[in-house]
Amino acid sequence: MPREAPYLAVADMLRTRILAGEWEVGERLPSRVRLAEEYGVGRNVVQRAMDRLIIDGLLEGRVGSGTYVRTPRERLRLVRSRHRERRGGSPYGAGLRERGKADAWDAYSQVRVPAPEAIAERLAVRPGDLCVRTHYEFLADGQPVQLSESWEPMALTDGTPIVLPETGPLAGKGVPERMRSIGVLIDTVVEVPRPARATRTQANLLGISAGDLVLQIERTIYDTDGRPVETADIVIPDARREVVYEFAAELPQPRQSAPRRREHP
């Protein structure tokens, strides 16, 4: 497993101290020289760590003065809810009342893309089977907040009006509604969230730095026969979003009283 870059380790340690209140909002941090000696690293490593925390909104640099603690940016809550999706139809249209919720998206689809081995396993198809791959960039107030790469097997949608998720009569309606239109009923959504570091490509698209923490969600959608109909990799920047999962409560079934025994005379 690759070792974490030194500047990221220093940034994490500084972040912990800032959030613990060691330096108050508006207070100047020690010099790069002092912090470099304390952590046993070079001054350039400390500078990169500070730059990282400036991007995250924890610090601000003042020309000719130094680096100061600033009020942290608010991490907006992003609710992922199968319960809401069932009511609203689309996972992207539901819950738009939430602040910071993605309200627009750009999408680009490619057809007849051979499924890589890992994707084929998730879709229960053979490696090389043809799929539709769609790249999404989700926006909130014009700013990128989420990425997704979706795969759908063409054996399921080829020749139908929904072969391209973002064109046709059901463009942007979400997987459940699109699949329902061709007689495929969605039953289960499985999501596996994992912490990760942003790749350079992801960082460029999200307006963050390579190596920043992200939440990577592996999502697969199944129909009522247990067949995978779509799988996606979703990337959410940790500094900007707090992901919350919401589930519908399962109410207990009412207890039925035992039938009364008839007494024979």
Side-chain angles (χ1 to χ4, degrees):
M1 183 176 180
R3 191 171 71 90
E4 183 179 53
Y7 84 93
L8 292 174
V10 172
D12 287 342
M13 288 186 285
L14 287 174
R15 182 184 292 108
T16 299
R17 295 170 69 179
I18 292 167
L19 296 179
E22 183 171 338
W23 300 291
E24 297 181 355
V25 172
E27 186 175 349
R28 180 181 173 180
L29 260 65
S31 68
R32 286 183 297 165
V33 172
R34 180 177 165 185
L35 289 172
E37 292 176 351
E38 182 177 345
Y39 289 119
V41 297
R43 282 180 289 177
N44 62 324
V45 172
V46 174
Q47 184 61 57
R48 290 190 67 188
M50 287 182 167
D51 290 343
R52 172 68 265 132
L53 297 180
I54 288 173
I55 293 172
D56 288 349
L58 287 176
L59 299 177
E60 61 179 349
R62 300 178 188 175
V63 178
S65 178
T67 306
Y68 295 77
V69 178
R70 61 167 292 177
T71 303
R73 294 173 187 163
E74 181 184 9
R75 292 176 76 226
L76 298 177
R77 175 165 291 193
L78 176 63
V79 178
R80 299 192 61 76
S81 172
R82 177 67 175 147
H83 178 53
R84 295 190 189 189
E85 183 180 333
R86 286 183 183 275
R87 299 199 310 253
S90 169
Y92 311 132
L96 290 180
R97 292 187 300 271
E98 299 168 24
R99 289 190 305 118
K101 180 73 174 182
D103 51 23
W105 59 89
D106 292 328
Y108 171 68
S109 293
Q110 295 173 289
V111 297
R112 304 192 181 283
V113 179
E117 186 172 348
I119 295 297
E121 183 176 355
R122 285 157 58 175
L123 287 175
V125 299
R126 294 172 300 181
D129 281 2
L130 299 181
C131 296
V132 174
R133 179 175 63 188
T134 304
H135 296 273
Y136 292 92
E137 297 177 35
F138 294 93
L139 310 172
D141 300 324
Q143 298 298 316
V145 294
Q146 180 177 318
L147 303 175
S148 179
E149 183 176 79
S150 166
W151 295 78
E152 295 179 1
M154 289 198 68
L156 183 63
T157 61
D158 197 15
T160 73
I162 68 162
V163 64
L164 296 177
E166 300 306 321
T167 62
L170 294 178
K173 291 296 184 180
V175 175
E177 189 168 345
R178 288 176 51 247
M179 292 297 170
R180 189 185 309 120
S181 73
I182 61 172
V184 177
L185 300 180
I186 299 304
D187 179 70
T188 306
V189 178
V190 175
E191 292 194 346
V192 183
R194 299 185 180 95
R197 296 286 184 180
T199 65
R200 188 165 299 279
T201 298
Q202 293 168 346
N204 289 339
L205 292 172
L206 290 169
I208 59 179
S209 295
D212 280 5
L213 282 173
V214 295
L215 181 66
Q216 187 165 298
I217 302 173
E218 178 187 303
R219 182 192 71 192
T220 305
I221 299 178
Y222 299 84
D223 67 9
T224 51
D225 293 326
R227 172 181 55 176
V229 301
E230 188 254 15
T231 193
D233 290 305
I234 301 165
V235 178
I236 301 170
D238 180 77
R240 298 179 185 172
R241 292 293 179 271
E242 175 187 50
V243 178
V244 177
Y245 282 83
E246 178 185 84
F247 302 90
E250 295 187 7
L251 299 178
Q253 296 295 322
R255 297 179 61 183
Q256 296 183 353
S257 57
R260 297 180 61 184
R261 296 176 58 187
R262 295 183 60 186
E263 297 184 3
H264 298 281

